[in-house]
Amino acid sequence: AEARAVVLAFAHCYHSRLATEGDRAAYGSLFARVWVGNDLTAAGEVAVARVFGGGVVDGEWFRQVLDAEQRDYWRRMEPTAVAGVAPNESILETVFVLLVSILNKIPIFLVGKPGCGKTLAMQIINATLRGADSHDDLFKARPRVMVLPFQGSEDSKSEGIEKVFDKARKLKGGFGFSDHKDNESNDISAVLAVVLLDEVGLAEVSRHNPLKVLHRTLETDALAEFRGERSELPYAVVGISNWALDASKMNRAITLNLPDPDASGLRQTGTVIVEAALLGDNAKTNAQEVLPGHLQDRL
């Protein structure tokens, strides 16, 4: 369990920041080589393979460990929220990174082209994290999220962003998970405020420079951390943008750079859409069995 946690932590912090599939594959391979080379508990590759159920320890191994965790989270999502949604790599990764970041109150920026599932993933998380009313037992002991949105524009001002963060502070977001196993849906102490900065890229180009407030609102208490005390934000922060922000903002948060979809992801998405449209939820066949040959080739 500890070894898997290390892999997932590196994937959450660093692998997600890489914007191309080539860079991600190279990172996975490098991680595997370093891991095997620094295994101090047993004999290199054999020991690592045993920890993760056998197989060769390489870049594909890194991808498999991450994919298994992402799919486990996906199966725990609210069923009505994921109905008809194709679980391609993009949406699986976005849900995984969002869920970990929100529950740990780590700021995160989602960066990707329109249509890659950034807003959809946030809607799925919002529908899933409902405290004691959650569908899955894993989330019943977690707080219910309350999303506080801010719509960015080219005319955004810092005062508007400040108001959203002030409201989040009043919801008293700084609490631990284990204290809320008997949450009531109307208990404000069991609510985790999530500041959602939608179209934050547009706000960045505003002549009013509204994002300057993020330098302060995304920072924890550095002095307390220096003294060895725990310091965390009283809220979670999610920024959604079609392009990357400047480094002074991005480096204060986890960044998920969503690569352009590959042929496999497009095929999977198209198949789910066709099956939902032609066959219905209770169909026993799949899209490949009912589509004309020329459409099958395109899937």
Side-chain angles (χ1 to χ4, degrees), residues 230-289:
R230 180 177 179 180
S231 177
E232 61 180 18
L233 295 173
Y235 42 68
V237 182
V238 177
I240 297 179
S241 178
N242 294 337
W243 57 80
L245 308 180
D246 72 77
S248 66
K249 283 97 175 172
M250 302 279 279
N251 290 341
R252 288 177 163 84
I254 295 294
T255 299
L256 172 56
N257 283 305
L258 291 163
D260 293 339
D262 57 14
S264 175
L266 292 174
R267 184 183 300 109
Q268 187 177 26
T269 301
T271 299
V272 171
I273 292 174
V274 170
E275 288 178 347
L278 298 183
L279 306 176
D281 294 335
N282 297 319
K284 298 300 182 183
T285 56
N286 59 52
Q288 301 291 345
E289 296 174 343

Side-chain angles (χ1 to χ4, degrees), residues 43 66 81 88-89 116 194 213 241 265 272-273:
L66 179 57
N88 54 36
E89 287 190 19
C116 64
V194 180
V213 303
S241 178
V272 171
I273 292 174

Side-chain angles (χ1 to χ4, degrees), residues 38-299:
N38 290 278
D39 181 6
L40 303 179
T41 61
E45 182 174 318
V46 176
V48 181
R50 185 171 61 248
V51 170
F52 291 97
V56 178
V57 179
D58 55 13
E60 183 60 25
W61 159 79
F62 182 92
R63 177 65 248 177
Q64 289 173 355
V65 172
L66 179 57
D67 184 71
E69 189 76 7
Q70 291 174 352
R71 292 188 181 278
D72 179 61
Y73 286 8
W74 181 258
R75 288 189 289 268
R76 298 175 185 274
M77 294 295 108
E78 171 62 36
T80 58
V82 299
V85 179
N88 54 36
E89 287 190 19
S90 177
I91 195 69
L92 288 174
E93 181 179 31
T94 308
V95 167
F96 164 71
V97 177
L98 264 180
L99 182 66
V100 174
S101 297
I102 288 175
L103 289 179
N104 289 282
K105 288 174 281 188
I106 303 172
I108 176 174
F109 289 113
L110 305 179
V111 180
K113 293 180 179 179
C116 64
K118 304 185 298 295
T119 301
L120 174 61
M122 188 64 216
Q123 292 171 346
I124 292 172
I125 294 294
N126 189 28
T128 298
L129 297 180
R130 295 183 289 121
D133 297 325
S134 299
H135 167 76
D136 192 271
D137 290 340
L138 178 66
F139 304 126
K140 290 183 183 296
R142 271 60 177 176
R144 173 172 59 92
V145 299
M146 179 176 291
V147 177
L148 306 175
F150 174 83
Q151 183 64 44
S153 72
E154 295 179 356
D155 198 42
S156 295
K157 297 181 179 179
S158 58
E159 291 80 6
I161 299 179
E162 285 277 18
K163 288 181 180 179
V164 177
F165 278 99
D166 287 341
K167 186 175 181 180
R169 293 185 189 97
K170 293 176 182 178
L171 288 176
K172 299 183 300 184
F175 45 74
F177 302 149
S178 60
D179 298 331
H180 301 278
K181 294 183 178 179
D182 299 319
N183 289 343
E184 294 294 337
S185 59
N186 60 351
D187 182 3
I188 197 65
S189 68
V191 172
L192 171 57
V194 180
V195 176
L196 175 61
L197 304 174
D198 201 4
E199 296 291 357
V200 67
L202 290 178
E204 186 180 41
V205 301
S206 170
R207 66 183 187 278
H208 304 293
N209 191 24
L211 299 188
K212 60 186 178 183
V213 303
L214 297 183
H215 295 183
R216 172 170 47 84
T217 54
L218 298 185
E219 292 283 358
T220 56
D221 188 343
L223 183 58
E225 293 177 347
F226 179 78
R227 294 194 299 262
E229 302 171 0
R230 180 177 179 180
S231 177
E232 61 180 18
L233 295 173
Y235 42 68
V237 182
V238 177
I240 297 179
S241 178
N242 294 337
W243 57 80
L245 308 180
D246 72 77
S248 66
K249 283 97 175 172
M250 302 279 279
N251 290 341
R252 288 177 163 84
I254 295 294
T255 299
L256 172 56
N257 283 305
L258 291 163
D260 293 339
D262 57 14
S264 175
L266 292 174
R267 184 183 300 109
Q268 187 177 26
T269 301
T271 299
V272 171
I273 292 174
V274 170
E275 288 178 347
L278 298 183
L279 306 176
D281 294 335
N282 297 319
K284 298 300 182 183
T285 56
N286 59 52
Q288 301 291 345
E289 296 174 343
V290 299
L291 290 178
H294 67 283
L295 288 182
Q296 291 186 29
D297 294 338
R298 284 161 176 74
L299 285 177

Side-chain angles (χ1 to χ4, degrees), residues 15-26:
H15 180 268
S16 61
R17 188 176 288 264
L18 302 175
T20 69
E21 293 293 350
D23 287 344
R24 290 177 169 211

